[in-house]
Amino acid sequence: RKEVEQDPGPFNVPEGATVAFNCTYSNSASQSFFWYRQDCRKEPKLLMSVYSSGNEDGRFTAQLNRASQYISLLIRDSKLSDSATYLCVVNMMDDMRFGAGTRLTVKP
Amino acid sequence: NAGVTQTPKFQVLKTGQSMTLQCAQDMNHEYMSWYRQDPGMGLRLIHYSVGAGITDQGEVPNGYNVSRSTTEDFPLRLLSAAPSQTSVYFCASSYSFAGTEAFFGQGTRLTVV
């Protein structure tokens, strides 16, 4: 079983749609959690950290459920510019473990 | 502010050749790391360093060496290239290891034939 698992997608949604991505992790001792965004043929960049209380940044909301070892990312009012691959990242003691990513395409 | 700079951006090697991927950061970060990214696999950690003079193995270290003689530089050496090492390589740095943002270089697309 992979340590960090994501639905690979692709998710194809129209502009203005709400879309949610899920991520599960296997190590209950994981300490910190992130969502990164990666555009095609580019490097990953931090989208947002994920806190136990949940956090929101504009149209983006991240949630963490430690009991179920589950992280989510919700994107509201999708824009064309949101098209990218979204990587779930879990910090496990001495390294960061990445999910394989979920690909999102937002269409006009 | 350059951030993390990786060179080269593209490279083709023949099986058995060696080469060094360069990585430099100008943010005075202590923690640096190398990842490889393969389709459907996500980024996998090759080696990392928590400071000058200190390196350690990650998830997939075989076939690679690293050194950290300065805070700024963290080169990755392929000892004897194999087709299985065809991948996209990313260098990253962060202020500390746990719970801080990682900044990535632009990546090196390596093909081993």
Side-chain angles (χ1 to χ4, degrees), chain B residues 44-105:
Chain B
R44 291 182 292 167
L45 182 66
I46 304 171
H47 284 285
Y48 66 96
S49 168
V50 298
I54 306 168
T55 64
D56 208 343
Q57 297 181 349
E59 188 182 357
V60 288
N62 292 340
Y64 308 94
N65 273 355
V66 291
S67 60
R68 185 93 180 270
S69 56
T70 66
T71 298
E72 294 78 21
D73 299 298
F74 191 45
L76 177 73
R77 183 166 179 81
L78 278 69
L79 307 172
S80 176
S84 61
Q85 293 179 305
T86 293
S87 187
V88 181
Y89 291 84
F90 287 101
C91 177
S93 77
S94 57
Y95 177 72
S96 67
F97 175 69
T100 60
E101 180 179 1
F103 294 85
F104 287 83

Side-chain angles (χ1 to χ4, degrees), chain A:
Chain A
R1 180 185 172 192
K2 291 182 182 178
E3 296 197 24
V4 181
E5 294 205 62
Q6 293 182 250
D7 182 342
F11 284 64
N12 298 307
V13 303
E15 269 187 295
T18 295
V19 61
F21 305 139
N22 300 321
C23 171
T24 58
Y25 60 96
S26 61
N27 190 333
S28 59
S30 300
Q31 299 172 311
S32 50
F33 309 88
F34 308 89
W35 284 100
Y36 277 71
R37 170 192 169 129
Q38 186 173 24
D39 293 309
C40 187
R41 301 178 78 83
K42 298 287 189 181
E43 71 274 23
K45 293 184 179 179
L46 180 67
L47 177 66
M48 57 197 304
S49 301
V50 186
Y51 304 120
S52 296
S53 55
N55 48 302
E56 188 173 311
D57 183 2
R59 298 181 292 108
F60 299 84
T61 300
Q63 298 271 347
L64 167 64
N65 184 321
R66 284 189 182 270
S68 300
Q69 296 180 201
Y70 167 97
I71 305 160
S72 65
L73 177 68
L74 183 75
I75 304 175
R76 291 181 299 279
D77 189 22
S78 298
K79 310 292 185 191
L80 296 176
S81 57
D82 294 334
S83 296
T85 297
Y86 291 83
L87 306 174
C88 173
V89 181
V90 177
N91 184 302
M92 296 185 181
M93 298 303 289
D94 60 353
D95 66 71
M96 296 171 74
R97 294 297 172 110
F98 286 76
T102 299
R103 186 174 168 188
L104 171 67
T105 301
V106 181
K107 300 187 174 181

